[in-house]
Amino acid sequence: MSAQKGYLPDTEEGLRFFPEQASTFAGDLDFLFIGLVAVCAVMTLLVFGLIVAFTYRYHASRQKPREALPSARTSHRIELSVLGAMFVIFMGLFAWSTHLYLDLYRGPEAAMTINVVGKQWMWKVQHPDGVREINTLHVPVGETIELRLTSEDVIHSFYIPDYRIKHDAVPGTYRKLWFEATKPGQYRLFCAEYCGSYHSRMRGKIIALDPADYQRWLDDQGERETPEVRGASLFRSYGCSGCHLGSSNVRAPSLAGVYGRPVPLASGGTVMADEAYLRDSILQPQKHVVAGFSPIMPSYSGQIDEGEILSIIAYLQSLEPEDQALNPSDTTRGSAMPEGTAQGESP
Amino acid sequence: MSTPSLEQRWPRDHYLSGGFRLRDWLLTTDHKRIGWLYFASITFFFFIGGIAALLIRLELITPGGDLLSPDTYNQMFSMHGIIMVWFFLIPSIPNTLGNFLIPMMIGARDLAFPKLNLLSWHVYTIGALFVVLTVLLGAVDTGWTFYTPYSTLFTETAVLAAATGVFVVGFSSILTGINFMVTLHKMRAPGMSWMRLPLFAWATYATSLIMILATPVLSITLLLIAVERLFGIGIFDPALGGDPILFQHLFWFYSHPAVYIMILPGMGVVSELITCFARNSVFGYKSMVISIMAIALFGFLVWGHHMFVAGQSMYAGVMFSLFSFLVALPSAIKTFNWTATLYRGRILLTAPMLYAFSFIGLFTIGGLTGIILAAMAIDVHVHDTYFVVAHFHYIMVGGMVTAYLGGVHFWWPKMTGRMFSELWSKVAALALFIGFNLTFFPQFILGYLGMPRRYHEYPADFQLLNVMSSLGAGALAIGYLLPLVYLTWSLFRGKPAGANPWGATGLEWQTSSPPPKHNFVQIPRVSEPPYAYRNQDQETTG
């Protein structure tokens, strides 16, 4: 019904009262949830039962005199034991849930990282080998998939109920979210953080495929540029290469091999050159000025979109320190640049 | 205790007699009349917010967006949230019942600063009307949470004007809080020691403390939004080097304690109702007081549980989760003690008692689902879904609004001097309990299935549960409209109540109904602890 105006037809699920378990995390989480619901149900029934029983037993219509109340000391002891029991139960539940959360937070080693950019009102997806999708995400079953989430405008939230996972996509930051699909099929993708007029149409789907089917699907996607190649050409077309490559190292630091290393700053101290650092350096170059250089780089804020930034990061990530004098124009001649095989060349 | 000769007499001179010109109301400094002014204002805002809620539920009967446009829908839930939180729930019990009762409960003739009290109402009403107008005319669509950068950079609506109104209303909260605190410290009658204060007074004290400490943070946050929008200084906007998550921290640093502003007074009311209609002293008075204060203080340490999936550090998340579990302990003790107060009592199932039982039931469900949400791993799944919507409605509507109605019924004879229909009031209490559960219980299931909140359209197979919820909202509306009818009727036709129709022990019942202009002909002396129903029992039966 909504699909007529929406972007994608909804995945058919039929009437259900409990969501499907389709990721490795879902089963563990449901177990915890059902455990918590059971504890809560027992407590609720206890309160309801006591109210009904006392109201019946001590209704005003029963005339006979009431016995004395328990002494202050006895009531105090009763309270303390209730408090103690609740404390133990709550701390047990806290430990259980926190344990599960820490597992989720840290996550296993990822087999691939997929970039997801939220934008009013769609999800733009970029696979590691350059395939792009909108509002749909194809993933292989049985592999740890890491998503790198960001947003071009407001805060969105990437939510797959059947996988029991969610994370906000916050503009200006990269957030990580991982999952491992267990069953081939189609699953719903929702934006969970209110993002304006068409928030409720920012729905999509996850298509989980067996690894062989996934490979076939990838192969069917035809011509594509890997993010590294696209990044390399962007690096040139935005004029980054003018200062940041070559052996001169005069106006700006060379960026070959910078990814994942500490960078000394002009303000003293160092900063780890991760995705967030590289992104900040493109959009807010004055934020972290590298030691020994002047703050002369212009900001690219407003001129470059999140997908392009991610490609440039992928390109920088692919460079090795020995690629010192690499000239990006060479690498883009071929259709793909196998990582680490690019040859340095003196200008 | 109460003198029977005074019981059935309609007082010749009382606070409502004479003075019916407009300025006798708008410029009154009598805390009881100001209580009525608030009563009128919040009832008005409640029904405006309620109409928005009904439109939301009507829209959600079908999965497609057919009744309202997406933008109108977004404005409706924003208006519903803004009005219900700031202009109904926060002032509901403290400013109506609290205003009316606090001086009487402690044996004082008025609040410490009567003129400040009047100013507080004017500030509140003008600010709130301004916000309602801007929201309606300026089409604010940010939700009551005003999350950046949507609110600062992307919506083209009158956010700044609405924020200004909320900012202004904040001063009303602060002034009221100061007034209550000073009154409770300085104006207690002889013999009314801290440990003899009714629990409603303690709850009001804790609420005032939160109002004074938390509201300025909200004001500062709204001011920072204005600074960013007007001068382009990057505070929350990532493009200017700001941090949108900082807004969430500041917002919830106020708004989570504000949740306790929205429940503590309800707990206070229910303590009065349960003791009166169980004819028993409260079980564990001291631990009830400690729990109230513990909730108020711990309430300041849990705001981060609104940001488990926004990207806060793992360690911060663990601490916020831990404190969220711990803050449930005092609430659990209170629930246990209310139940234990029934033990060996003489229970009367009056309408106020039915409301009190509803409160305990709904608050227990709301509180325990709060425990489920405090478990971080589960929050990852149900955050921003209908599970959260159901949870906080159980607390704020099932808890606070039910307690508010229970309190209004309980003290109505005192405020007006007249009784209301016993039958209709019980029907209304039942309609509320059934309607409420039918509206909000299905939303827990919807939430776990994954339906996000603030959705104008939704996948078709969520329809059944949404229809149930909308039907429940209809029944709930009856539960709210009925009291409006029979209470209004009782204002003119209800039979005289007498000073103490419920046989309650508080000081407010020792003066005539309606009370004289200055509450007491003679300031009472207090010689026994609160809720001495058992002594009364012995006096009458033994």
PDB file of all heavy atoms in Angstrom, chain A residues 30 58 60 66-68 79 159 166 168 175 188 191 194 197, chain B residues 71 141 287 309-310 337 344-345 347 381 383 448 455 461 534:
ATOM      1  N   ASP A  30      17.548 -12.748  21.758  1.00  0.00           N
ATOM      2  CA  ASP A  30      16.186 -13.175  22.100  1.00  0.00           C
ATOM      3  C   ASP A  30      16.175 -13.957  23.406  1.00  0.00           C
ATOM      4  O   ASP A  30      15.248 -13.843  24.205  1.00  0.00           O
ATOM      5  CB  ASP A  30      15.591 -14.023  20.979  1.00  0.00           C
ATOM      6  CG  ASP A  30      15.215 -13.171  19.780  1.00  0.00           C
ATOM      7  OD1 ASP A  30      15.187 -11.938  19.928  1.00  0.00           O
ATOM      8  OD2 ASP A  30      14.969 -13.733  18.700  1.00  0.00           O
ATOM      9  N   TYR A  58      -8.456  -8.123  53.278  1.00  0.00           N
ATOM     10  CA  TYR A  58      -8.568  -7.004  54.221  1.00  0.00           C
ATOM     11  C   TYR A  58      -9.579  -5.967  53.756  1.00  0.00           C
ATOM     12  O   TYR A  58      -9.436  -4.784  54.027  1.00  0.00           O
ATOM     13  CB  TYR A  58      -7.194  -6.350  54.432  1.00  0.00           C
ATOM     14  CG  TYR A  58      -6.172  -7.319  54.979  1.00  0.00           C
ATOM     15  CD1 TYR A  58      -5.078  -7.702  54.224  1.00  0.00           C
ATOM     16  CD2 TYR A  58      -6.336  -7.866  56.254  1.00  0.00           C
ATOM     17  CE1 TYR A  58      -4.156  -8.602  54.714  1.00  0.00           C
ATOM     18  CE2 TYR A  58      -5.412  -8.777  56.740  1.00  0.00           C
ATOM     19  CZ  TYR A  58      -4.323  -9.144  55.969  1.00  0.00           C
ATOM     20  OH  TYR A  58      -3.418 -10.039  56.456  1.00  0.00           O
ATOM     21  N   ALA A  60     -12.703  -3.593  53.701  1.00  0.00           N
ATOM     22  CA  ALA A  60     -13.305  -2.918  54.859  1.00  0.00           C
ATOM     23  C   ALA A  60     -14.574  -3.613  55.339  1.00  0.00           C
ATOM     24  O   ALA A  60     -14.956  -3.479  56.507  1.00  0.00           O
ATOM     25  CB  ALA A  60     -13.605  -1.467  54.499  1.00  0.00           C
ATOM     26  N   ARG A  66      -8.215  -5.799  63.132  1.00  0.00           N
ATOM     27  CA  ARG A  66      -6.971  -6.217  62.487  1.00  0.00           C
ATOM     28  C   ARG A  66      -5.895  -6.412  63.548  1.00  0.00           C
ATOM     29  O   ARG A  66      -5.839  -5.661  64.526  1.00  0.00           O
ATOM     30  CB  ARG A  66      -6.508  -5.155  61.493  1.00  0.00           C
ATOM     31  CG  ARG A  66      -7.536  -4.817  60.439  1.00  0.00           C
ATOM     32  CD  ARG A  66      -7.738  -5.972  59.470  1.00  0.00           C
ATOM     33  NE  ARG A  66      -8.531  -5.574  58.311  1.00  0.00           N
ATOM     34  CZ  ARG A  66      -9.840  -5.833  58.174  1.00  0.00           C
ATOM     35  NH1 ARG A  66     -10.497  -6.482  59.108  1.00  0.00           N
ATOM     36  NH2 ARG A  66     -10.473  -5.456  57.092  1.00  0.00           N
ATOM     37  N   GLU A  67      -5.037  -7.377  63.301  1.00  0.00           N
ATOM     38  CA  GLU A  67      -3.914  -7.572  64.228  1.00  0.00           C
ATOM     39  C   GLU A  67      -2.920  -6.422  64.099  1.00  0.00           C
ATOM     40  O   GLU A  67      -2.956  -5.676  63.124  1.00  0.00           O
ATOM     41  CB  GLU A  67      -3.199  -8.886  63.898  1.00  0.00           C
ATOM     42  CG  GLU A  67      -3.996 -10.122  64.272  1.00  0.00           C
ATOM     43  CD  GLU A  67      -3.472 -11.330  63.541  1.00  0.00           C
ATOM     44  OE1 GLU A  67      -2.399 -11.802  63.934  1.00  0.00           O
ATOM     45  OE2 GLU A  67      -4.117 -11.773  62.582  1.00  0.00           O
ATOM     46  N   ALA A  68      -2.039  -6.338  65.063  1.00  0.00           N
ATOM     47  CA  ALA A  68      -1.034  -5.266  65.031  1.00  0.00           C
ATOM     48  C   ALA A  68      -0.138  -5.441  63.808  1.00  0.00           C
ATOM     49  O   ALA A  68       0.067  -6.553  63.331  1.00  0.00           O
ATOM     50  CB  ALA A  68      -0.203  -5.308  66.296  1.00  0.00           C
ATOM     51  N   GLU A  79      12.063  -5.072  54.230  1.00  0.00           N
ATOM     52  CA  GLU A  79      12.472  -4.164  53.148  1.00  0.00           C
ATOM     53  C   GLU A  79      13.886  -4.453  52.679  1.00  0.00           C
ATOM     54  O   GLU A  79      14.157  -4.497  51.481  1.00  0.00           O
ATOM     55  CB  GLU A  79      12.414  -2.718  53.632  1.00  0.00           C
ATOM     56  CG  GLU A  79      11.053  -2.121  53.574  1.00  0.00           C
ATOM     57  CD  GLU A  79      11.037  -0.733  54.188  1.00  0.00           C
ATOM     58  OE1 GLU A  79      11.931  -0.419  55.009  1.00  0.00           O
ATOM     59  OE2 GLU A  79      10.145   0.015  53.839  1.00  0.00           O
ATOM     60  N   TYR A 159      18.838   0.225  10.750  1.00  0.00           N
ATOM     61  CA  TYR A 159      18.187  -0.743  11.640  1.00  0.00           C
ATOM     62  C   TYR A 159      17.679  -1.950  10.848  1.00  0.00           C
ATOM     63  O   TYR A 159      16.899  -1.809   9.913  1.00  0.00           O
ATOM     64  CB  TYR A 159      17.027  -0.041  12.348  1.00  0.00           C
ATOM     65  CG  TYR A 159      16.203  -0.910  13.273  1.00  0.00           C
ATOM     66  CD1 TYR A 159      16.767  -1.979  13.972  1.00  0.00           C
ATOM     67  CD2 TYR A 159      14.856  -0.650  13.477  1.00  0.00           C
ATOM     68  CE1 TYR A 159      16.003  -2.748  14.827  1.00  0.00           C
ATOM     69  CE2 TYR A 159      14.086  -1.415  14.332  1.00  0.00           C
ATOM     70  CZ  TYR A 159      14.659  -2.466  15.000  1.00  0.00           C
ATOM     71  OH  TYR A 159      13.901  -3.236  15.846  1.00  0.00           O
ATOM     72  N   LYS A 166      21.295  -2.170  15.216  1.00  0.00           N
ATOM     73  CA  LYS A 166      20.957  -0.803  14.847  1.00  0.00           C
ATOM     74  C   LYS A 166      22.135   0.070  15.228  1.00  0.00           C
ATOM     75  O   LYS A 166      22.820  -0.183  16.205  1.00  0.00           O
ATOM     76  CB  LYS A 166      19.719  -0.389  15.644  1.00  0.00           C
ATOM     77  CG  LYS A 166      19.392   1.071  15.592  1.00  0.00           C
ATOM     78  CD  LYS A 166      18.291   1.453  16.548  1.00  0.00           C
ATOM     79  CE  LYS A 166      16.980   0.790  16.258  1.00  0.00           C
ATOM     80  NZ  LYS A 166      16.505   0.030  17.399  1.00  0.00           N
ATOM     81  N   ASP A 168      23.197   4.517  14.854  1.00  0.00           N
ATOM     82  CA  ASP A 168      22.948   5.817  14.237  1.00  0.00           C
ATOM     83  C   ASP A 168      24.027   6.128  13.209  1.00  0.00           C
ATOM     84  O   ASP A 168      25.197   5.794  13.408  1.00  0.00           O
ATOM     85  CB  ASP A 168      22.950   6.921  15.302  1.00  0.00           C
ATOM     86  CG  ASP A 168      21.725   6.860  16.204  1.00  0.00           C
ATOM     87  OD1 ASP A 168      20.898   5.946  15.997  1.00  0.00           O
ATOM     88  OD2 ASP A 168      21.597   7.705  17.094  1.00  0.00           O
ATOM     89  N   ARG A 175      30.641   5.565  12.010  1.00  0.00           N
ATOM     90  CA  ARG A 175      30.265   4.624  13.054  1.00  0.00           C
ATOM     91  C   ARG A 175      30.331   3.231  12.459  1.00  0.00           C
ATOM     92  O   ARG A 175      30.044   3.044  11.278  1.00  0.00           O
ATOM     93  CB  ARG A 175      28.838   4.888  13.533  1.00  0.00           C
ATOM     94  CG  ARG A 175      28.592   6.304  14.002  1.00  0.00           C
ATOM     95  CD  ARG A 175      29.243   6.555  15.346  1.00  0.00           C
ATOM     96  NE  ARG A 175      28.676   7.706  16.012  1.00  0.00           N
ATOM     97  CZ  ARG A 175      29.381   8.649  16.607  1.00  0.00           C
ATOM     98  NH1 ARG A 175      30.693   8.604  16.604  1.00  0.00           N
ATOM     99  NH2 ARG A 175      28.783   9.645  17.220  1.00  0.00           N
ATOM    100  N   ARG A 188      13.993  -6.646   6.325  1.00  0.00           N
ATOM    101  CA  ARG A 188      13.682  -5.221   6.279  1.00  0.00           C
ATOM    102  C   ARG A 188      14.814  -4.361   6.807  1.00  0.00           C
ATOM    103  O   ARG A 188      15.499  -4.722   7.747  1.00  0.00           O
ATOM    104  CB  ARG A 188      12.451  -4.952   7.125  1.00  0.00           C
ATOM    105  CG  ARG A 188      11.209  -5.362   6.412  1.00  0.00           C
ATOM    106  CD  ARG A 188      10.017  -5.185   7.296  1.00  0.00           C
ATOM    107  NE  ARG A 188       8.855  -5.631   6.557  1.00  0.00           N
ATOM    108  CZ  ARG A 188       7.736  -6.031   7.119  1.00  0.00           C
ATOM    109  NH1 ARG A 188       7.629  -6.021   8.436  1.00  0.00           N
ATOM    110  NH2 ARG A 188       6.734  -6.413   6.374  1.00  0.00           N
ATOM    111  N   CYS A 191      15.002   3.162   8.613  1.00  0.00           N
ATOM    112  CA  CYS A 191      15.682   4.269   9.293  1.00  0.00           C
ATOM    113  C   CYS A 191      14.955   4.457  10.606  1.00  0.00           C
ATOM    114  O   CYS A 191      13.740   4.645  10.623  1.00  0.00           O
ATOM    115  CB  CYS A 191      15.627   5.559   8.492  1.00  0.00           C
ATOM    116  SG  CYS A 191      16.313   6.937   9.437  1.00  0.00           S
ATOM    117  N   TYR A 194      14.409   9.716  13.597  1.00  0.00           N
ATOM    118  CA  TYR A 194      13.570  10.657  12.860  1.00  0.00           C
ATOM    119  C   TYR A 194      14.428  11.639  12.058  1.00  0.00           C
ATOM    120  O   TYR A 194      15.331  12.268  12.590  1.00  0.00           O
ATOM    121  CB  TYR A 194      12.680  11.423  13.844  1.00  0.00           C
ATOM    122  CG  TYR A 194      11.896  12.513  13.178  1.00  0.00           C
ATOM    123  CD1 TYR A 194      10.908  12.201  12.248  1.00  0.00           C
ATOM    124  CD2 TYR A 194      12.149  13.840  13.440  1.00  0.00           C
ATOM    125  CE1 TYR A 194      10.199  13.187  11.603  1.00  0.00           C
ATOM    126  CE2 TYR A 194      11.440  14.843  12.810  1.00  0.00           C
ATOM    127  CZ  TYR A 194      10.469  14.512  11.895  1.00  0.00           C
ATOM    128  OH  TYR A 194       9.776  15.508  11.252  1.00  0.00           O
ATOM    129  N   SER A 197      10.617  14.895   6.701  1.00  0.00           N
ATOM    130  CA  SER A 197       9.345  14.591   6.029  1.00  0.00           C
ATOM    131  C   SER A 197       9.137  13.114   5.713  1.00  0.00           C
ATOM    132  O   SER A 197       8.126  12.538   6.054  1.00  0.00           O
ATOM    133  CB  SER A 197       9.237  15.378   4.730  1.00  0.00           C
ATOM    134  OG  SER A 197       9.370  16.745   4.991  1.00  0.00           O
TER     135      SER A 197
ATOM    136  N   ASP B  71       4.216  15.740   6.363  1.00  0.00           N
ATOM    137  CA  ASP B  71       4.629  16.885   7.174  1.00  0.00           C
ATOM    138  C   ASP B  71       3.630  17.180   8.285  1.00  0.00           C
ATOM    139  O   ASP B  71       4.017  17.502   9.398  1.00  0.00           O
ATOM    140  CB  ASP B  71       4.837  18.117   6.282  1.00  0.00           C
ATOM    141  CG  ASP B  71       6.112  17.984   5.457  1.00  0.00           C
ATOM    142  OD1 ASP B  71       7.075  17.392   5.976  1.00  0.00           O
ATOM    143  OD2 ASP B  71       6.129  18.442   4.301  1.00  0.00           O
ATOM    144  N   ASP B 141       8.368  20.606  13.236  1.00  0.00           N
ATOM    145  CA  ASP B 141       8.280  19.162  12.968  1.00  0.00           C
ATOM    146  C   ASP B 141       9.516  18.424  13.461  1.00  0.00           C
ATOM    147  O   ASP B 141       9.973  17.477  12.845  1.00  0.00           O
ATOM    148  CB  ASP B 141       8.101  18.922  11.463  1.00  0.00           C
ATOM    149  CG  ASP B 141       9.333  19.300  10.677  1.00  0.00           C
ATOM    150  OD1 ASP B 141      10.154  20.078  11.205  1.00  0.00           O
ATOM    151  OD2 ASP B 141       9.507  18.804   9.551  1.00  0.00           O
ATOM    152  N   SER B 287      11.969   4.623  54.544  1.00  0.00           N
ATOM    153  CA  SER B 287      12.568   4.167  53.294  1.00  0.00           C
ATOM    154  C   SER B 287      11.825   4.759  52.103  1.00  0.00           C
ATOM    155  O   SER B 287      12.404   4.910  51.021  1.00  0.00           O
ATOM    156  CB  SER B 287      12.611   2.647  53.209  1.00  0.00           C
ATOM    157  OG  SER B 287      11.407   2.110  53.635  1.00  0.00           O
ATOM    158  N   VAL B 309      22.960   3.765  21.082  1.00  0.00           N
ATOM    159  CA  VAL B 309      23.298   3.487  19.673  1.00  0.00           C
ATOM    160  C   VAL B 309      23.719   4.747  18.926  1.00  0.00           C
ATOM    161  O   VAL B 309      23.790   4.757  17.707  1.00  0.00           O
ATOM    162  CB  VAL B 309      22.139   2.797  18.912  1.00  0.00           C
ATOM    163  CG1 VAL B 309      21.836   1.455  19.519  1.00  0.00           C
ATOM    164  CG2 VAL B 309      20.901   3.666  18.880  1.00  0.00           C
ATOM    165  N   ALA B 310      24.000   5.822  19.658  1.00  0.00           N
ATOM    166  CA  ALA B 310      24.412   7.056  18.982  1.00  0.00           C
ATOM    167  C   ALA B 310      25.921   7.121  18.836  1.00  0.00           C
ATOM    168  O   ALA B 310      26.451   8.011  18.192  1.00  0.00           O
ATOM    169  CB  ALA B 310      23.904   8.267  19.759  1.00  0.00           C
ATOM    170  N   ASN B 337       6.428  -1.304  48.987  1.00  0.00           N
ATOM    171  CA  ASN B 337       5.857  -0.715  50.194  1.00  0.00           C
ATOM    172  C   ASN B 337       4.387  -0.315  50.029  1.00  0.00           C
ATOM    173  O   ASN B 337       3.611  -0.441  50.968  1.00  0.00           O
ATOM    174  CB  ASN B 337       6.690   0.496  50.637  1.00  0.00           C
ATOM    175  CG  ASN B 337       7.988   0.062  51.285  1.00  0.00           C
ATOM    176  OD1 ASN B 337       8.323  -1.122  51.289  1.00  0.00           O
ATOM    177  ND2 ASN B 337       8.730   1.005  51.833  1.00  0.00           N
ATOM    178  N   ARG B 344      -3.144  -6.034  56.392  1.00  0.00           N
ATOM    179  CA  ARG B 344      -3.901  -5.783  57.625  1.00  0.00           C
ATOM    180  C   ARG B 344      -4.559  -4.407  57.650  1.00  0.00           C
ATOM    181  O   ARG B 344      -4.687  -3.780  58.703  1.00  0.00           O
ATOM    182  CB  ARG B 344      -3.002  -5.969  58.857  1.00  0.00           C
ATOM    183  CG  ARG B 344      -2.601  -7.423  59.021  1.00  0.00           C
ATOM    184  CD  ARG B 344      -1.765  -7.643  60.254  1.00  0.00           C
ATOM    185  NE  ARG B 344      -1.436  -9.069  60.360  1.00  0.00           N
ATOM    186  CZ  ARG B 344      -0.563  -9.565  61.219  1.00  0.00           C
ATOM    187  NH1 ARG B 344       0.077  -8.770  62.052  1.00  0.00           N
ATOM    188  NH2 ARG B 344      -0.335 -10.858  61.262  1.00  0.00           N
ATOM    189  N   GLY B 345      -4.925  -3.915  56.479  1.00  0.00           N
ATOM    190  CA  GLY B 345      -5.635  -2.640  56.434  1.00  0.00           C
ATOM    191  C   GLY B 345      -7.138  -2.860  56.403  1.00  0.00           C
ATOM    192  O   GLY B 345      -7.628  -3.972  56.656  1.00  0.00           O
ATOM    193  N   ILE B 347      -9.623  -2.039  53.538  1.00  0.00           N
ATOM    194  CA  ILE B 347      -9.524  -1.487  52.191  1.00  0.00           C
ATOM    195  C   ILE B 347     -10.879  -1.068  51.646  1.00  0.00           C
ATOM    196  O   ILE B 347     -11.836  -1.834  51.649  1.00  0.00           O
ATOM    197  CB  ILE B 347      -8.832  -2.502  51.271  1.00  0.00           C
ATOM    198  CG1 ILE B 347      -7.381  -2.662  51.741  1.00  0.00           C
ATOM    199  CG2 ILE B 347      -8.858  -2.043  49.828  1.00  0.00           C
ATOM    200  CD1 ILE B 347      -6.715  -3.899  51.250  1.00  0.00           C
ATOM    201  N   HIS B 381      18.475  -3.239  19.829  1.00  0.00           N
ATOM    202  CA  HIS B 381      17.381  -3.669  18.951  1.00  0.00           C
ATOM    203  C   HIS B 381      16.154  -2.771  19.071  1.00  0.00           C
ATOM    204  O   HIS B 381      15.587  -2.350  18.067  1.00  0.00           O
ATOM    205  CB  HIS B 381      17.022  -5.130  19.281  1.00  0.00           C
ATOM    206  CG  HIS B 381      15.801  -5.628  18.576  1.00  0.00           C
ATOM    207  ND1 HIS B 381      15.580  -5.427  17.234  1.00  0.00           N
ATOM    208  CD2 HIS B 381      14.723  -6.323  19.029  1.00  0.00           C
ATOM    209  CE1 HIS B 381      14.422  -5.985  16.887  1.00  0.00           C
ATOM    210  NE2 HIS B 381      13.887  -6.521  17.964  1.00  0.00           N
ATOM    211  N   HIS B 383      15.722   0.297  20.600  1.00  0.00           N
ATOM    212  CA  HIS B 383      15.870   1.753  20.659  1.00  0.00           C
ATOM    213  C   HIS B 383      15.127   2.405  19.489  1.00  0.00           C
ATOM    214  O   HIS B 383      15.191   1.921  18.365  1.00  0.00           O
ATOM    215  CB  HIS B 383      17.356   2.100  20.584  1.00  0.00           C
ATOM    216  CG  HIS B 383      17.630   3.556  20.733  1.00  0.00           C
ATOM    217  ND1 HIS B 383      17.695   4.167  21.960  1.00  0.00           N
ATOM    218  CD2 HIS B 383      17.810   4.523  19.817  1.00  0.00           C
ATOM    219  CE1 HIS B 383      17.914   5.452  21.785  1.00  0.00           C
ATOM    220  NE2 HIS B 383      17.988   5.694  20.502  1.00  0.00           N
ATOM    221  N   TYR B 448       9.115  -4.735  19.451  1.00  0.00           N
ATOM    222  CA  TYR B 448      10.077  -5.839  19.338  1.00  0.00           C
ATOM    223  C   TYR B 448      10.095  -6.388  17.921  1.00  0.00           C
ATOM    224  O   TYR B 448      11.114  -6.889  17.448  1.00  0.00           O
ATOM    225  CB  TYR B 448       9.789  -6.949  20.359  1.00  0.00           C
ATOM    226  CG  TYR B 448      11.045  -7.765  20.630  1.00  0.00           C
ATOM    227  CD1 TYR B 448      12.051  -7.247  21.442  1.00  0.00           C
ATOM    228  CD2 TYR B 448      11.248  -8.992  20.032  1.00  0.00           C
ATOM    229  CE1 TYR B 448      13.227  -7.941  21.652  1.00  0.00           C
ATOM    230  CE2 TYR B 448      12.424  -9.705  20.240  1.00  0.00           C
ATOM    231  CZ  TYR B 448      13.409  -9.173  21.054  1.00  0.00           C
ATOM    232  OH  TYR B 448      14.589  -9.853  21.258  1.00  0.00           O
ATOM    233  N   TYR B 455       6.836   6.991  12.662  1.00  0.00           N
ATOM    234  CA  TYR B 455       6.606   6.531  11.295  1.00  0.00           C
ATOM    235  C   TYR B 455       5.199   6.896  10.861  1.00  0.00           C
ATOM    236  O   TYR B 455       4.227   6.524  11.501  1.00  0.00           O
ATOM    237  CB  TYR B 455       6.806   5.000  11.212  1.00  0.00           C
ATOM    238  CG  TYR B 455       8.136   4.603  10.603  1.00  0.00           C
ATOM    239  CD1 TYR B 455       9.248   5.417  10.751  1.00  0.00           C
ATOM    240  CD2 TYR B 455       8.276   3.423   9.875  1.00  0.00           C
ATOM    241  CE1 TYR B 455      10.464   5.054  10.198  1.00  0.00           C
ATOM    242  CE2 TYR B 455       9.489   3.058   9.318  1.00  0.00           C
ATOM    243  CZ  TYR B 455      10.587   3.883   9.493  1.00  0.00           C
ATOM    244  OH  TYR B 455      11.784   3.525   8.937  1.00  0.00           O
ATOM    245  N   ASP B 461       1.961  -5.612   7.390  1.00  0.00           N
ATOM    246  CA  ASP B 461       1.653  -6.632   8.391  1.00  0.00           C
ATOM    247  C   ASP B 461       1.752  -6.136   9.843  1.00  0.00           C
ATOM    248  O   ASP B 461       1.502  -6.886  10.767  1.00  0.00           O
ATOM    249  CB  ASP B 461       2.503  -7.891   8.182  1.00  0.00           C
ATOM    250  CG  ASP B 461       3.925  -7.570   7.859  1.00  0.00           C
ATOM    251  OD1 ASP B 461       4.621  -7.039   8.740  1.00  0.00           O
ATOM    252  OD2 ASP B 461       4.329  -7.817   6.720  1.00  0.00           O
ATOM    253  N   ARG B 534      -4.323   4.034  62.047  1.00  0.00           N
ATOM    254  CA  ARG B 534      -4.541   2.961  63.022  1.00  0.00           C
ATOM    255  C   ARG B 534      -5.053   3.520  64.345  1.00  0.00           C
ATOM    256  O   ARG B 534      -5.943   2.957  64.958  1.00  0.00           O
ATOM    257  CB  ARG B 534      -3.239   2.182  63.236  1.00  0.00           C
ATOM    258  CG  ARG B 534      -2.949   1.249  62.086  1.00  0.00           C
ATOM    259  CD  ARG B 534      -2.821  -0.153  62.604  1.00  0.00           C
ATOM    260  NE  ARG B 534      -3.118  -1.120  61.562  1.00  0.00           N
ATOM    261  CZ  ARG B 534      -3.322  -2.413  61.803  1.00  0.00           C
ATOM    262  NH1 ARG B 534      -3.246  -2.860  63.030  1.00  0.00           N
ATOM    263  NH2 ARG B 534      -3.602  -3.240  60.831  1.00  0.00           N
TER     264      ARG B 534
END
